[in-house]
Amino acid sequence: MRRSLAGAAAAVVLLVPLLAACAPSSTGEDDGTAADGQVVDGSSIDVDTRALRAQRAEVGLEDCVPGTGDGAVEGGLPALTLPCLGGGDAVDLADLRGPLVVNFWYSTCGPCRAELPVLAEFHDRHGDDVPLLGVDFNDPLPEAALELLADSDVTYPSVADTDGAVLADDTLRIVGFPTTAFVAADGTVSYVQAGEIESVDELEQLVADHLGVDL
């Protein structure tokens, strides 16, 4: 479901007006929010099976990098340990330090699908200077998520938020997908972009403005 979030964004710290996005859902499908507006916890989705590891290797995704181990900082990413999509090291988001771009997405979200090739191209050009990490939100079929990454030429890693836990974070305040967080060198989230990033030029400018990195 696509809907305007321009009004909602005005009340959300760090979020810019959002013209079209996918609303969070309890299933990872583009069908709106759960009946009570919350994501159901206790997911049994397994993102690290032999078949998924083989698929991840075929896609050519880079390894998930656990982070510094320094822990949470005020105004940083949540202390949330997520498994690597398709197998590998789990990542505690609170341990991540920048400059870093973290993109929250799911496979049936139309704007997310449109944005992924832009992120892939940015990573190809600038991944050594500003790494990218995807966070696959509540996808019921991780094999479909990996297939989409392959179709989008994505090689940067994604972790999997199988319980939709990121929605509870007060720093990110995610109200729709895709959402992109810009993480500074000290671990703080310097900016949150709500909605689709439409070009590499736009992402380069966001990185310059909010991470102080000229590419």
Side-chain angles (χ1 to χ4, degrees):
M1 177 180 68
R2 289 189 169 201
R3 62 188 178 91
S4 171
L5 296 180
V12 179
V13 176
L14 297 177
L15 292 181
V16 299
L18 175 57
L19 299 180
C22 296
S25 76
S26 62
T27 63
E29 296 178 0
D30 188 6
D31 58 359
T33 59
D36 61 359
Q38 299 295 322
V39 172
V40 179
D41 290 332
S43 170
S44 62
I45 300 169
D46 188 354
V47 300
D48 186 0
T49 66
R50 180 179 297 180
L52 290 173
R53 281 181 174 257
Q55 186 181 3
R56 180 180 178 275
E58 185 175 350
V59 174
L61 294 186
E62 297 169 11
D63 293 337
C64 292
V65 179
T68 63
D70 292 333
V73 298
E74 185 175 356
L77 293 171
L80 183 62
T81 299
L82 301 177
C84 192
L85 179 62
D89 291 329
V91 177
D92 184 347
L93 298 185
D95 283 340
L96 298 178
R97 301 293 184 264
L100 174 70
V101 175
V102 182
N103 178 254
F104 299 85
W105 65 284
Y106 61 88
S107 63
T108 56
C109 164
C112 303
R113 297 173 71 93
E115 183 184 61
L116 284 172
V118 172
L119 302 181
E121 184 177 351
F122 177 91
H123 179 68
D124 287 344
R125 294 187 192 180
H126 307 301
D128 290 340
D129 299 311
V130 182
L132 261 162
L133 176 68
V135 178
D136 183 26
F137 172 81
N138 213 19
D139 257 325
L141 297 173
E143 59 270 25
L146 287 169
E147 183 176 352
L148 174 60
L149 295 180
D151 291 343
S152 304
D153 294 324
V154 168
T155 58
Y156 60 83
S158 274
V159 293
D161 180 10
T162 57
D163 295 330
V166 296
L167 292 187
D169 183 62
D170 289 336
T171 297
L172 296 171
R173 299 193 180 187
I174 294 174
V175 295
F177 293 84
T179 290
T180 304
F182 295 80
V183 181
D186 62 358
T188 59
V189 176
S190 60
Y191 184 68
V192 177
Q193 167 79 18
E196 179 185 346
I197 296 171
E198 298 182 348
S199 71
V200 174
D201 287 345
E202 180 184 356
L203 183 49
E204 288 173 342
Q205 190 60 57
L206 287 166
V207 166
D209 290 345
H210 302 293
L211 296 180
V213 179
D214 293 320
L215 300 169

